Amino acid sequence: MYSPRPRPAPASAPVPFYEKVKQAISEKIYAGVWQPHDRIPSEAELVAQFGFSRMTVNRAVRELTDEGLLVRLQGVGTFVAEPKGQSALFEIRSIADEITARHHQHRCEVLLLEETRADFTQAAAMEVEEGTRIFHSRMVHFENDIPVQIEDRIVNAAVVPDYLQQDYTTTTPHAYLSLIAPLTEGEHIVEAVAAAPEDCRLLHIKEHDPCLLIRRRTWSTSHIVSHASLLFPGNRYRLQGHFSS
């Protein structure tokens, strides 16, 4: 559940226009008029509704996003966030985008691309019935021809039916899934692990070298779209988060 709404400002204090917009949006969320994953009206629609400037509305939406009440997806819209006890620490980003941002070269080697049926563990991760039709992909991502990530992913076939038909040497699963089933929620679980012998071979590391494993689930509206296990050599990757008080 959402935490109790903030107390209103004293009657004698003038309330900025953007605060009025924030309060009106928050009221609809707290009252259940807008549910988690619902798309709220666009900024243009909110401008018409409240009669305030675009800048005022933009500030209200931006601050509610920073406070975790809304989620904004570029080119898609703004949605009511899933209530959480704490803020997410990491962005959901494509490994290719991270590598490109460093002005390095990304390439991908696809090891497996198949249709299968969810076993007990996969079904639990995807929150579907055991035996449900899913897609499974496994690939290695390279930075300047050095292997930096093994991506092992299962995908909801009902939500993304054409997943197997894509060329993941020219795009990434993250990029394709973001286009077909825009992200509304993500979950990260981070672990330090020892890689299996085959993973050591693929990553060009020695057995017992430390590795970082990120288990990532992503949602689009109410559906889990994919569950990915992302394995990195510990000496070639670091996690970086940003927060403000």
Side-chain angles (χ1 to χ4, degrees):
M1 296 179 61
Y2 288 104
S3 57
R5 70 195 67 176
R7 294 180 180 179
S12 57
V15 179
F17 291 152
Y18 75 88
E19 287 288 357
K20 292 183 178 180
V21 177
K22 286 180 64 177
Q23 183 176 354
I25 293 174
S26 299
E27 287 288 342
K28 289 193 175 184
I29 294 173
Y30 290 127
V33 176
W34 291 341
Q35 297 287 325
H37 309 300
D38 283 352
R39 180 188 287 188
I40 73 166
S42 67
E43 286 189 7
E45 291 169 327
L46 291 173
V47 167
Q49 178 179 336
F50 291 107
F52 297 136
S53 70
R54 184 70 175 262
M55 184 180 298
T56 295
V57 169
N58 177 270
R59 177 172 178 178
V61 173
R62 187 174 70 248
E63 291 196 2
L64 287 173
T65 301
D66 292 341
E67 293 165 13
L69 212 58
L70 298 175
V71 175
R72 304 182 78 179
L73 298 176
Q74 186 69 33
V76 178
T78 303
F79 300 81
V80 179
E82 182 76 20
K84 290 190 180 296
Q86 61 184 27
S87 299
L89 292 179
F90 309 111
E91 293 181 79
I92 305 292
R93 295 188 64 193
S94 164
I95 184 68
D97 291 342
E98 293 181 3
I99 291 171
T100 301
R102 292 192 286 269
H103 305 289
H104 290 174
Q105 186 71 36
H106 167 265
R107 72 176 177 87
C108 175
E109 179 181 328
V110 178
L111 306 175
L112 178 69
L113 203 55
E114 67 174 0
E115 177 181 325
T116 186
R117 298 285 173 174
D119 61 22
F120 177 81
T121 302
Q122 293 168 329
M126 297 293 287
E127 297 182 6
V128 297
E129 296 281 342
E130 191 173 351
T132 296
R133 176 172 167 263
I134 60 172
F135 298 136
H136 179 207
S137 61
R138 182 170 165 83
M139 54 196 71
V140 182
H141 295 277
F142 294 80
E143 181 170 356
N144 292 345
D145 287 326
I146 298 173
V148 292
Q149 183 196 90
I150 297 174
E151 173 186 331
D152 195 298
R153 185 185 297 268
I154 54 176
V155 175
N156 189 324
V159 177
V160 194
D162 295 329
Y163 181 76
L164 298 183
Q165 278 67 58
Q166 310 312 306
D167 181 358
Y168 294 114
T169 64
T170 60
T171 187
T172 63
H174 172 86
Y176 178 68
L177 295 174
S178 297
L179 179 66
I180 302 303
L183 172 71
T184 56
E185 184 181 351
E187 172 189 85
H188 277 129
I189 298 175
V190 184
E191 300 177 76
V193 299
E198 173 63 12
D199 293 335
C200 291
R201 185 187 68 79
L202 291 171
L203 291 173
H204 300 174
I205 60 176
K206 298 176 182 178
E207 285 194 49
H208 310 301
D209 279 356
C211 288
L212 186 68
L213 177 65
I214 300 178
R215 301 185 193 278
R216 174 186 293 171
R217 288 199 297 178
T218 53
W219 282 256
S220 184
T221 63
S222 60
H223 301 286
I224 296 177
V225 176
S226 80
H227 178 277
S229 295
L230 310 173
L231 184 69
F232 303 85
N235 63 346
R236 297 179 202 155
Y237 191 78
R238 68 177 183 176
L239 289 176
Q240 180 173 323
H242 175 79
F243 65 91
S244 59
S245 58

